[in-house]
Amino acid sequence: MSISSSSASAQLTTDRLVLRPWTTVEPTAVLDNTRSVLWADDFPAEGDRVVAGPFEQHPGWLGEHGHRLIIEGDSGLVVGSIGLFRPPSEGTVEIGYGLVPSRRDRGYATEATRALADFALTVPDVHTVVAGAELSNPASVRVLEKAGFHRWTTKGNVARFMITRRERHQR
């Protein structure tokens, strides 16, 4: 993974993906269903619409430590979104992610989750990244496990996962 910075944001690049912050106009395009030629045919998914809604109330989510679009390196198309829900609470941030159905089962979610969690754990005021996954969604559970998270609790149908700065260095 590499991090390249522009004047206003940081972009994360993995072997097959680019994770870049949303622009200020993209949430409106998602909410208004204004199609872009830079989107996969099935983007945005419902989760992307949910994330796009609160950007106005949480403008920090558009910054380098917030939410990002997942761009497939080969095609250059937006295929999902991933983000950190900030600000940190006692050194902990939560990560959430989603991919469009056409790009699932390729390891993209794991690759993106690992990259953003690694990035989050380099931020001075963050020492833990957490995530939740519904047990009825075993693919999401596998994403977190493959990305290096471990399950620390289960409540009802939701398993909670975490990775710490120390665990990241032990990988």
Side-chain angles (χ1 to χ4, degrees):
M1 174 186 72
S2 67
I3 300 171
S4 58
S5 296
S6 68
S7 60
S9 63
Q11 177 172 286
L12 304 178
T13 304
T14 70
D15 290 341
R16 302 177 299 158
L17 305 170
V18 174
L19 310 177
R20 70 155 173 82
W22 293 61
T23 66
T24 56
V25 298
E26 287 168 327
T28 302
V30 165
L31 294 172
D32 291 346
N33 221 11
T34 305
R35 298 282 319 143
S36 169
V37 297
L38 299 177
W39 295 352
D41 289 341
D42 49 351
F43 182 86
E46 184 56 33
D48 303 308
R49 289 182 188 90
V50 169
V51 168
F55 279 133
E56 192 170 289
Q57 294 90 8
H58 302 284
W61 287 6
L62 291 171
E64 73 176 289
H65 296 107
H67 289 265
R68 297 162 188 272
L69 293 172
I70 301 171
I71 301 163
E72 187 176 48
D74 288 345
S75 69
L77 297 175
V78 175
V79 298
S81 61
I82 188 166
L84 299 170
F85 297 92
R86 295 188 51 87
S89 174
E90 298 179 15
T92 300
V93 293
E94 183 157 2
I95 194 171
Y97 52 87
L99 283 175
V100 295
S102 66
R103 297 316 197 276
R104 293 180 185 157
D105 298 321
R106 299 178 187 199
Y108 288 172
T110 298
E111 192 172 321
T113 300
R114 182 179 297 126
L116 191 56
D118 285 352
F119 174 75
L121 291 170
T122 67
V123 177
D125 57 342
V126 174
H127 57 72
T128 304
V129 180
V130 298
E134 293 183 8
L135 297 175
S136 58
N137 185 353
S140 190
V141 170
R142 283 192 306 277
V143 163
L144 293 168
E145 291 170 344
K146 288 179 180 178
F149 287 69
H150 71 272
R151 187 185 309 200
W152 99 84
T153 188
T154 302
K155 190 172 191 175
N157 185 41
V158 177
R160 299 290 295 161
F161 291 81
M162 70 184 324
I163 188 169
T164 65
R165 189 175 290 157
R166 187 182 76 217
E167 291 167 328
R168 177 179 166 262
H169 291 296
Q170 292 174 349
R171 283 196 270 168

